[in-house]
């Protein structure tokens, strides 16, 4: 019996959510309320539409040959896909059985919900580390704690699973040197981290907040300048990490 999930949308993209050209499914629902979130329309399960794993796999199969030729795969993103672990598990497992590379894009906050069967169907984890300092993490996410992400990262490493760490650089929020070094120290301590992606903050999601009648917390925050971006990348490199 196939499972049913809440799907916000899907897209086919290159070079953003894992290697190669990928079918990216954005699931609806997320426990965090990150100040820099550019997709507030994915916060609630009700923001998506019901879809069975069979239906989503049918869409994936339409692109199967193209994805394989482009050395890509399937990525489940969100929202937070681990808020729907049964659905996520089935889609990843069946994608894996098709011979497609699979990636899970998660904050790790709900990492305890990912059982071994789910993780066995994952080739790569895109792990969003919002902050390296617990107090800053709470400020950034407004609802979350850092420790579940660290615990999840070490569990992945124990399984030998490749990890790409993602860090959103926000002026005045996550850009302090001590915070960046703390994120780098977390990544450095996880032996299967292959790379760190420094993602400069942007305000492209502002219209979504306006459409939902929500205030955008960072409406007056500028994107980081080139010098700040390079300084942060150098901090990660100083910890022996490969940086993009």
């Amino acid at each position: 019996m196939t499972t049913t999930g809440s799907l916000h949308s899907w897209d086919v993209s290159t070079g953003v959510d894992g290697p190669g050209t990928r079918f990216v499914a954005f699931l609806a629902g997320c426990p965090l309320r990150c100040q820099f979130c550019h997709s507030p329309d994915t916060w609630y399960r009700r923001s998506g539409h019901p879809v069975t794993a069979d239906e989503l796999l049918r869409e994936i199969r339409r692109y199967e040959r193209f994805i394989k030729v482009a050395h890509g795969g399937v990525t489940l993103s969100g929202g937070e896909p681990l808020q729907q672990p049964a659905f996520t598990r089935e889609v990843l497992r069946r994608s894996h059985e098709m011979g497609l590379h699979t990636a899970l894009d998660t904050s790790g906050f709900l990492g305890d919900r990912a059982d071994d069967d789910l993780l066995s169907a994952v080739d790569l984890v895109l792990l969003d580390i919002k902050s390296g300092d617990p107090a800053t993490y709470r400020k950034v996410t407004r609802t979350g704690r850092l420790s579940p992400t660290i615990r999840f990262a070490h569990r992945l490493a124990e399984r030998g699973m490749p990890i790409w760490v993602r860090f959103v650089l926000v002026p005045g929020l996550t850009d302090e040197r001590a915070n960046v070094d703390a994120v780098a120290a977390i990544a450095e301590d996880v032996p299967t981290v292959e790379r760190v992606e420094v993602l400069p903050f942007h305000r492209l999601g502002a219209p979504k907040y306006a459409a939902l009648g929500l205030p955008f917390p960072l409406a007056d925050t500028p994107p980081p300048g080139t010098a700040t971006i390079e300084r942060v990348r150098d901090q990660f490199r100083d910890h022996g990490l490969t940086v993009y």
Side-chain angles (χ1 to χ4, degrees):
M1 182 178 179
T2 188
T3 55
T4 299
S6 181
L7 177 71
H8 177 268
S9 56
W10 61 266
D11 194 8
V12 176
S13 59
T14 301
V16 178
D17 298 289
T21 299
R22 309 191 69 80
F23 184 103
V24 185
F26 300 94
L27 305 191
C30 182
L32 304 182
R33 295 293 179 266
C34 298
Q35 292 195 48
F36 53 69
C37 180
H38 61 272
S39 299
D41 48 337
T42 66
W43 284 350
Y44 301 102
R45 291 279 293 270
R46 65 176 180 269
S47 301
H49 59 276
V51 62
T52 66
D54 284 344
E55 291 168 332
L56 185 54
L57 267 295
R58 194 174 302 128
E59 290 291 341
I60 293 172
R61 286 192 188 94
R62 292 176 55 206
Y63 296 90
E64 178 182 359
R65 179 171 175 78
F66 173 64
I67 290 171
K68 287 180 176 177
V69 169
H71 304 290
V74 173
T75 299
L76 289 197
S77 185
E80 171 53 69
L82 293 182
Q83 192 157 307
Q84 304 182 51
F87 182 73
T88 294
R89 182 192 310 113
E90 182 173 353
V91 173
L92 290 173
R93 176 182 59 79
R94 293 173 62 182
S95 297
H96 213 247
E97 290 172 352
M98 292 165 60
L100 296 172
H101 180 277
T102 56
L104 175 68
D105 182 8
T106 176
S107 71
F109 181 65
L110 298 179
D112 290 344
R113 295 191 180 187
D115 61 21
D116 290 344
D117 287 341
L118 188 157
L119 294 180
S120 294
V122 178
D123 293 309
L124 171 69
V125 174
L126 308 174
L127 187 62
D128 303 310
I129 301 183
K130 314 292 184 178
S131 165
D133 170 67
T136 303
Y137 192 97
R138 288 192 297 271
K139 182 178 180 181
V140 169
T141 64
R142 298 185 283 188
T143 57
R145 293 174 291 111
L146 173 60
S147 55
T149 298
I150 297 175
R151 183 168 64 246
F152 185 56
H154 284 282
R155 182 178 164 213
L156 296 175
E158 289 171 0
R159 296 177 59 91
M161 296 184 64
I163 301 170
W164 290 4
V165 167
R166 291 174 152 188
F167 172 68
V168 180
L169 176 59
V170 186
L173 185 62
T174 67
D175 62 337
E176 289 189 5
R177 288 182 179 272
N179 185 55
V180 174
D181 277 333
V183 175
I186 293 169
E188 183 184 17
D189 196 39
V190 179
T192 58
V193 169
E194 296 183 342
R195 63 198 277 182
V196 175
E197 297 181 343
V198 176
L199 308 178
F201 164 74
H202 59 71
R203 293 181 295 208
L204 298 179
K208 294 182 180 181
Y209 285 85
L212 293 169
L214 297 172
F216 182 29
L218 302 179
D220 298 323
T221 300
T226 301
T228 299
I229 295 170
E230 287 308 310
R231 183 263 295 174
V232 169
R233 286 176 173 157
D234 284 341
Q235 282 187 256
F236 283 107
R237 292 188 185 105
D238 287 344
H239 284 259
L241 297 161
T242 300
V243 184
Y244 286 80

